[in-house]
Amino acid sequence: MATKASRAAARVMISPAVLLLLGWMIVPLALTLYFSFLRYNLLMPGMEEFTGWDNYSYFLSDPAFTAALTNTLLLVGGVLLITTVGGVLLGLLLDQPFWGQGIVRILVIAPFFVMPTVSALVWKNMFMNPVNGLFAHAFKALGLAPYDFLSQAPLLSIIGIVSWQWLPFATLILLTALQSLDQDQLEAAEMDGASALSRFWYIMLPHLARSITVVILIQTIFLLSVFAEILVTTNGGPGTASTNLTYLIYMQSLLQFDVGMGSAGGVVAIILANIVAIFLMRMIGKNLEA
Amino acid sequence: MARAVTNRRKLIVTVAAWAVGIAIFFPILWTVILSFKSEGDAIKTPLEVLSSAWTFESYATVQERSNYVRHFWNSVVISLGSTLLGLIIAIPAAWAMAFVPGKQTKNVLMWMLSTKMLPPVGVLVPIYLIFRDVGLLDTKTGLVIVLTLINLPIIVWMLYTYFKEIPGEILEAARMDGASLRNELIHVLTPMAVPGIASTVLLNIILAWNEAFWTLNLTAAKAAPLTAFIASYSSPEGLFYAKLSAASTMAIAPILIMGWFSQKQLVRGLTFGAVK
């Protein structure tokens, strides 16, 4: 069907997108890699020199790195757990017939459209603030001492905020998947006397497995790069209690001006993200063939 | 659904679903309420807040003190600009891959997607230094370029999945009638592709509007869009809940409305067609 001429035209049409993305990928990546082997601090211009693996050994042996890696894993894992379990439950609830489905759906997905800096600041001030926050008012009304969420449980508080932002995404996708489930199959199982729990376990959950995987993989890509929520709530503190890898690298590069060390961190972050990306790409690739 | 649903069951589900929906939406609702209160009232107990007087004063103050309109305009320019630029680059590419697929098409698509998996912090330093050296730091142009590039894979993918659904026979018929490639593109394909393009535009404006890594790191006072401007409320002096609420309400309202219109496309766009 495709002629030689249309092939050539197709190549011309694709090339701007490919070349731009190639440039966007190769140039900064090569520079990051190059900087990561230099002693390079913006405060000492002209002093750059090759240092081999020094930046990597400093970065990887820094206790802040271990803390940041742990925090990153806890943040990603915690949010994934809350949003997928919550998303399945909410999906099941919203999949039932009820009055006002359209409106409730709109309410549930709304947090996803709120910009990260707004949702973080709203939670920080209007809810978690130990003096004027709604939680503080609630604690006082119950006769309890107010709790300073962001300084006493910073990471957990951030997990809560980020989960609020991502729960709608998981819910929306899992609800979409549930709606494509064959109702006859469920009815047949019900007639055969299968309990609600076993219908969920043996019919719905296997049907959802693919979508759950997609939710987990895509969220992981975004969650590895959580930044704004940390910047405006805790600045990574107290200490390194809520510093994730992205935030640590940001601090080293743009606050301490240590380009070499920041770049070494960047390479580490890229490697970690790639491990997840490989699985995600396989899933999507399979779908492309189907 | 064939199964008979008793009204009682429907009532229970309705109550539960509304309760959950309102609980999830509550932080947004509360922000909107506080934006219409005075600073003194905004920090009182919830019942006192609700019974206090309503006022527009915070909206006026936010604009007077911080030139809110400029930051809003920056957000508009950056999100529309990057979406339009992305479309111009992506439409031909997606068209070619959907209608003239070659052996490499799948690989090219997958590779484009893989650029999206690159953590932004991995290239923060070089981009920052390049931007500093060529004078793109804190400019709208710089942000348009970066956001175009980070969203380009999503635009190409979304358009590709929509274009794939356009039946090829129609194009062949047009070709038989002697339509040139250019005419085919403008008169046959484009009208059929408009709904897909519209959803792509919508989703990308949302993503660009809310992008908060590059906008925070590459701007200062001048080109800061709303994401970065709102972040300046993280270290405030004195009373500011009502002002923060007013600034936030204005920042999220347009995107919230757009988002509600694009629910379906959101699933498709953000899962790269893996869930439809």
Side-chain angles (χ1 to χ4, degrees):
Chain A
M1 173 193 140
T3 61
K4 242 186 195 159
S6 65
R7 278 265 157 73
R11 223 166 284 142
V12 173
M13 289 175 175
I14 299 172
S15 44
V18 170
L19 291 178
L20 281 170
L21 281 177
L22 203 63
W24 166 247
M25 226 182 143
I26 303 271
V27 175
L29 264 187
L31 283 172
T32 301
L33 209 56
Y34 171 66
F35 291 154
S36 72
F37 292 107
L38 291 185
R39 190 209 313 261
Y40 182 5
N41 194 306
L42 291 179
L43 296 178
M44 296 179 282
M47 302 273 284
E48 297 87 37
E49 56 177 356
F50 185 76
T51 56
W53 296 95
D54 276 10
N55 286 324
Y56 288 92
S57 60
Y58 284 130
F59 185 79
L60 294 173
S61 62
D62 184 353
F65 167 72
T66 327
L69 187 65
T70 318
N71 289 339
T72 306
L73 295 177
L74 287 174
L75 177 63
V76 173
V79 175
L80 283 180
L81 188 71
I82 295 171
T83 54
T84 40
V85 173
V88 170
L89 294 176
L90 264 176
L92 286 173
L93 178 66
L94 301 182
D95 190 33
Q96 324 258 336
F98 63 91
W99 288 291
Q101 264 177 323
I103 302 171
V104 170
R105 215 178 130 114
I106 278 176
L107 295 179
V108 168
I109 66 168
F112 191 74
F113 303 117
V114 177
M115 55 178 66
T117 41
V118 166
S119 55
L121 282 179
V122 164
W123 279 99
K124 177 191 181 184
N125 294 302
M126 279 74 133
F127 288 87
M128 294 173 172
N129 184 291
V131 181
N132 298 321
L134 277 185
F135 292 153
H137 286 308
F139 276 42
K140 264 180 257 168
L142 293 171
L144 300 166
Y147 186 74
D148 190 353
F149 290 88
L150 283 162
S151 54
Q152 283 169 282
L155 191 62
L156 215 58
S157 304
I158 291 173
I159 290 176
I161 296 172
V162 177
S163 298
W164 179 74
Q165 292 176 286
W166 284 94
L167 181 61
F169 174 77
T171 306
L172 195 59
I173 287 179
L174 296 172
L175 180 61
T176 310
L178 274 174
Q179 282 166 345
S180 71
L181 182 62
D182 185 9
Q183 291 297 329
D184 295 341
Q185 206 185 352
L186 279 179
E187 277 173 46
E190 199 175 350
M191 296 230 232
D192 290 346
S195 69
L197 194 67
S198 57
R199 265 177 285 151
F200 170 73
W201 194 256
Y202 293 106
I203 299 176
M204 289 178 163
L205 210 54
H207 176 78
L208 284 181
R210 227 189 95 80
S211 309
I212 293 178
T213 319
V214 171
V215 166
I216 290 177
L217 292 172
I218 289 175
Q219 283 200 37
T220 307
I221 297 286
F222 284 95
L223 295 177
L224 282 172
S225 299
V226 165
F227 172 75
E229 292 85 344
I230 296 174
L231 179 77
V232 300
T233 53
T234 64
N235 271 311
T240 53
S242 58
T243 300
N244 69 352
L245 213 48
T246 300
Y247 198 79
L248 179 69
I249 298 166
Y250 154 80
M251 283 201 296
Q252 256 149 8
S253 331
L254 297 193
L255 297 185
Q256 291 160 23
F257 305 105
D258 192 339
V259 171
M261 187 100 124
S263 299
V267 173
V268 174
I270 290 170
I271 293 171
L272 286 177
N274 269 323
I275 298 171
V276 182
I278 288 168
F279 288 103
L280 180 55
M281 300 286 287
R282 272 204 200 133
M283 289 271 315
I284 293 169
K286 261 187 212 147
N287 194 56
L288 206 57
E289 270 152 14
Chain B
M1 209 168 162
R3 193 159 27 141
V5 179
T6 61
N7 269 346
R8 217 190 95 144
R9 184 187 156 95
K10 197 169 172 179
L11 190 68
I12 295 171
V13 175
T14 304
V15 171
W18 275 88
V20 173
I22 290 169
I24 290 177
F25 188 72
F26 183 73
I28 300 172
L29 181 68
W30 192 246
T31 306
V32 176
I33 292 174
L34 289 188
S35 74
F36 292 108
K37 298 293 176 183
S38 71
E39 289 297 359
D41 289 335
I43 56 166
K44 290 184 176 160
T45 63
L47 286 179
E48 287 167 335
V49 169
L50 287 175
S51 60
S52 63
W54 301 84
T55 166
F56 278 100
E57 74 182 30
S58 306
Y59 286 91
T61 325
V62 164
Q63 164 53 19
E64 267 166 40
R65 281 214 204 141
S66 55
N67 202 355
Y68 186 88
V69 171
R70 193 182 66 200
H71 299 294
F72 193 90
W73 178 242
N74 286 344
S75 275
V76 171
V77 170
I78 291 163
S79 52
L80 287 185
S82 65
T83 303
L84 282 183
L85 193 59
L87 272 189
I88 293 170
I89 302 164
I91 289 180
W95 184 89
M97 288 195 274
F99 295 114
V100 198
K103 282 184 210 110
Q104 293 302 318
T105 302
K106 192 191 156 190
N107 291 336
V108 171
L109 272 171
M110 293 309 286
W111 169 77
M112 283 187 174
L113 186 54
S114 74
T115 65
K116 190 69 200 152
M117 317 273 162
L118 193 67
V121 76
V123 291
L124 170 64
V125 177
I127 298 289
Y128 184 87
L129 293 178
I130 292 172
F131 270 44
R132 186 197 59 181
D133 292 344
V134 298
L136 281 175
L137 273 188
D138 200 17
T139 63
K140 291 196 273 287
T141 317
L143 277 184
V144 167
I145 294 172
V146 169
L147 293 192
T148 301
L149 288 166
I150 62 166
N151 286 333
L152 191 58
I154 296 186
I155 303 186
V156 172
W157 262 86
M158 269 187 92
L159 289 175
Y160 171 78
T161 59
Y162 281 113
F163 288 177
K164 276 295 259 193
E165 284 167 11
I166 296 174
E169 295 83 40
I170 289 181
L171 292 182
E172 277 183 39
R175 238 172 266 165
M176 299 273 252
D177 293 342
S180 69
L181 191 66
R182 205 172 130 257
N183 280 331
E184 188 182 307
L185 195 64
I186 295 173
H187 296 294
V188 185
L189 185 81
T190 309
M192 295 190 68
V194 162
I197 294 176
S199 339
T200 310
V201 166
L202 225 49
L203 177 66
N204 274 278
I205 291 175
I206 296 171
L207 289 178
W209 187 274
N210 289 341
E211 203 285 330
F213 181 79
W214 294 109
T215 50
L216 283 169
N217 278 311
L218 298 179
T219 61
K222 200 158 56 75
L226 290 170
T227 42
F229 166 68
I230 302 273
S232 68
Y233 277 93
S234 62
S235 47
E237 289 140 30
L239 296 172
F240 68 104
Y241 279 23
K243 282 193 279 295
L244 168 62
S245 299
S248 300
T249 303
M250 288 189 278
I252 62 177
I255 261 9
L256 210 53
I257 293 163
M258 276 186 157
W260 284 335
F261 282 111
S262 66
Q263 294 178 41
K264 279 265 154 71
Q265 288 71 34
L266 183 83
V267 174
R268 186 173 178 156
L270 284 176
T271 60
F272 303 100
V275 175
K276 274 185 209 163

